[in-house]
Amino acid sequence: MSTSEASTLSLARKNILRAASICLSMITFLVYLNAFRDQPQVVYAGICWLVGRFTSTLAHECGHAAAASYCNWRVLTFVVRPFGLQVPNRNLVYFKPKFSTTNVGWITTIPNNLAHGTRSNWALILVAGPAASLLLALVAFGGWATYLRDFDTGSVSVSRIGLGLSFQALYGCVFSILPNSFSDTPSDGTRLRSLHASHTSFERDQPIVWLATLAINKVRLRDRPDWLIDAARNVPGVTAEAAKFLDSHEIGVVLDAKYVDAKRARTLIDQYRAKHGANPWLNACDAYLCAVWEADAQRATATIVLPPSPDEVTPMFLAAEAAVAARSGQTKTTMSKLREMEKALRAASPFHDPTFTDIRSQIKAVLNSN
C-alpha cells in the first residue's frame, strides 16, 4: 500500500469514527429530550447532556487516578473541563476557551520512584479510565431498567435520564479505546497499543518524558525528584536534544533553589554556552543571575539582548529584562516588564507557576534595595 493510499484509508476511518461519535451524541440528546414532558424540553435536555458529560468524564478520570494511586504513581493534574486541579500547588483553575482542547478531561501522572515506573503499571492506569466508564455505563443502564423507574413522574422520566447517562459513559469507554477522531492527541487505546508495540522503548524514554511532564504541568524545578533526574541522566544513548534539555534543567534547578548558589549557577551557565552555544533562554538566565545574585548591572545589561523572534520572548526573558531594569533603578520599566511577564505566564498556562512568584519577589527586592 502506498503512502497516499494509507493516508486516504486513515482519513476514511477518522471520518467514520467522527460520524459514529456524532450519531451517538445525537441519540443521547434525544433520550434526554424524551425524558421531559413539560416545556422547555430542549433546555432541560441540554442541561442533562452537559451534566452527563461532566459526570461521565469525571468517572473516567477518577478511574485513571485511582489506578495511578494503586500503582504508586503521583497525579500532577486532574482536569474535567471546564475545571482543572494542579495537585502539587493545590491550584484549582477555570479553563478559559483559549486553553480548550478536543479532550474534555485528562490526568497527568508520573511514578513516585523508578521501581514503580513499569510498563505494566502504565498499562493498568491507561485501562482503568475506559473500565471506569464501562462500569458507570452498566450501573446507569441497570438503573434505567430497574430501580430508577420508581422515580418516574408524569413530567420527568428519571429512568430515561439514567439511560442517557449510560450512553454518555459508554461513549467515554468506546471512544477512549478507539483512535482519536477529532485531533492528533492519542487516546487511551492508542497509547496502550503503542506501549505494547515491539518498537516502543518505554524504560529508555520515559525518565526524560516524565521530567518534561513536570515542566509542562508547572511543578517547580526544585521540587522535582532526584531519582528522576538521575534516571534521565543515565539513559543510554541520550540524544543531543535530550542532553541539552537536561543541562538546561540543571541550571533551572540551581536558580530555583531556596538559597541560590550563584557560583554554581555561573559555572553551569558557562558550561552550557560552551557545549550547546548561546540562545535567548540562556542569555535570560545569565542576565537574571548577573542582576539578582551577582549584583552586576553592567554585565547584566550587556548579556540581555533582543531575541531573534517574538516567539522567543518568554516569561523568563521578560523576568531577566525586569531584573536588569531593577538593578539599574528603573522602576517604571521594571514594573512594566513584570506586568508583561504575568501576561505571558497567563497566556502560556492556566496554572499558577510558583517559581515566577519567587522571581517577582526577588526582582522587587532588588528594586527596593536601590
Side-chain angles (χ1 to χ4, degrees):
M1 183 183 293
S2 66
T3 303
S4 60
E5 289 174 333
S7 178
T8 301
L9 181 59
S10 176
L11 180 61
R13 288 173 178 171
K14 186 171 284 191
N15 288 335
I16 291 172
L17 290 176
R18 286 176 182 171
S21 171
I22 293 170
C23 286
L24 184 55
S25 295
M26 290 179 63
I27 291 171
T28 301
F29 187 81
L30 289 173
V31 170
Y32 282 136
L33 192 67
N34 288 323
F36 299 95
R37 311 294 193 279
D38 299 333
Q39 294 292 338
Q41 292 106 321
V42 173
V43 174
Y44 295 150
I47 292 172
C48 285
W49 193 87
L50 290 173
V51 172
R53 187 180 75 162
F54 184 88
T55 303
S56 60
T57 304
L58 179 63
H60 185 100
E61 303 309 328
C62 281
H64 286 309
S69 178
Y70 174 79
C71 294
N72 198 20
W73 284 46
R74 176 189 183 192
V75 175
L76 303 176
T77 56
F78 187 102
V79 178
V80 179
R81 284 175 43 207
F83 303 107
L85 176 65
Q86 204 274 13
V87 179
N89 299 337
R90 297 182 178 88
N91 183 206
L92 180 65
V93 301
Y94 172 79
F95 267 74
K96 296 179 181 178
K98 65 180 179 180
F99 294 114
S100 296
T101 67
T102 55
N103 293 332
V104 294
W106 65 89
I107 73 164
T108 53
T109 180
I110 67 167
N112 282 317
N113 53 64
L114 191 59
H116 288 92
T118 61
R119 285 172 179 258
S120 58
N121 280 345
W122 180 228
L124 179 59
I125 293 168
L126 289 172
V127 168
S133 293
L134 180 60
L135 178 61
L136 176 61
L138 293 174
V139 170
F141 186 82
W144 166 75
T146 56
Y147 60 89
L148 287 180
R149 294 176 183 262
D150 296 337
F151 299 94
D152 290 346
T153 66
S155 58
V156 180
S157 174
V158 177
S159 61
R160 287 186 180 178
I161 294 176
L163 180 61
L165 178 59
S166 74
F167 284 162
Q168 286 183 295
L170 183 63
Y171 180 104
C173 174
V174 173
F175 285 93
S176 65
I177 295 173
L178 296 172
N180 194 330
S181 56
F182 290 97
S183 77
D184 294 329
T185 304
S187 65
D188 294 332
T190 299
R191 293 177 191 272
L192 193 60
R193 287 186 288 273
S194 175
L195 177 65
H196 288 282
S198 58
H199 63 273
T200 301
S201 301
F202 182 85
E203 291 79 6
R204 185 196 67 196
D205 298 337
Q206 284 307 113
I208 294 175
V209 171
W210 291 328
L211 268 182
T213 300
L214 288 168
I216 292 169
N217 290 283
K218 305 303 178 186
V219 177
R220 68 183 308 162
L221 288 153
R222 71 184 186 210
D223 292 336
R224 298 175 193 180
D226 292 337
W227 69 262
L228 182 52
I229 298 172
D230 292 340
R233 284 285 183 192
N234 293 327
V235 168
V238 64
T239 65
E241 193 64 28
K244 186 176 179 180
F245 168 74
L246 292 171
D247 289 342
S248 66
H249 183 275
E250 189 172 3
I251 293 172
V253 169
V254 174
L255 289 176
D256 190 42
K258 290 183 180 180
Y259 306 100
V260 174
D261 185 342
K263 290 183 178 180
R264 174 66 176 158
R266 168 59 53 207
T267 299
L268 290 173
I269 287 173
D270 291 343
Q271 288 176 348
Y272 184 101
R273 183 177 286 109
K275 184 177 179 180
H276 304 292
N279 57 56
W281 172 84
L282 187 70
N283 289 337
C285 291
D286 196 342
Y288 187 83
L289 176 65
C290 291
V292 175
W293 300 111
E294 296 177 335
D296 190 340
Q298 185 176 0
R299 183 173 178 177
T301 303
T303 302
I304 191 71
V305 293
L306 291 175
S309 70
D311 292 340
E312 293 179 310
V313 181
T314 61
M316 188 63 213
F317 184 86
L318 294 166
E321 289 190 312
V324 171
R327 181 57 69 185
S328 303
Q330 302 173 35
T331 302
K332 186 175 180 180
T333 301
T334 300
M335 301 311 295
S336 175
K337 292 299 179 181
L338 285 177
R339 286 192 293 271
E340 288 183 50
M341 182 189 78
E342 293 288 349
K343 183 178 179 181
L345 288 168
R346 290 194 297 270
S349 173
F351 294 118
H352 170 68
D353 192 330
T355 294
F356 281 88
T357 300
D358 285 358
I359 286 176
R360 187 187 310 107
S361 299
Q362 291 161 4
I363 293 171
K364 288 184 177 180
V366 171
L367 184 64
N368 293 334
S369 69
N370 291 326

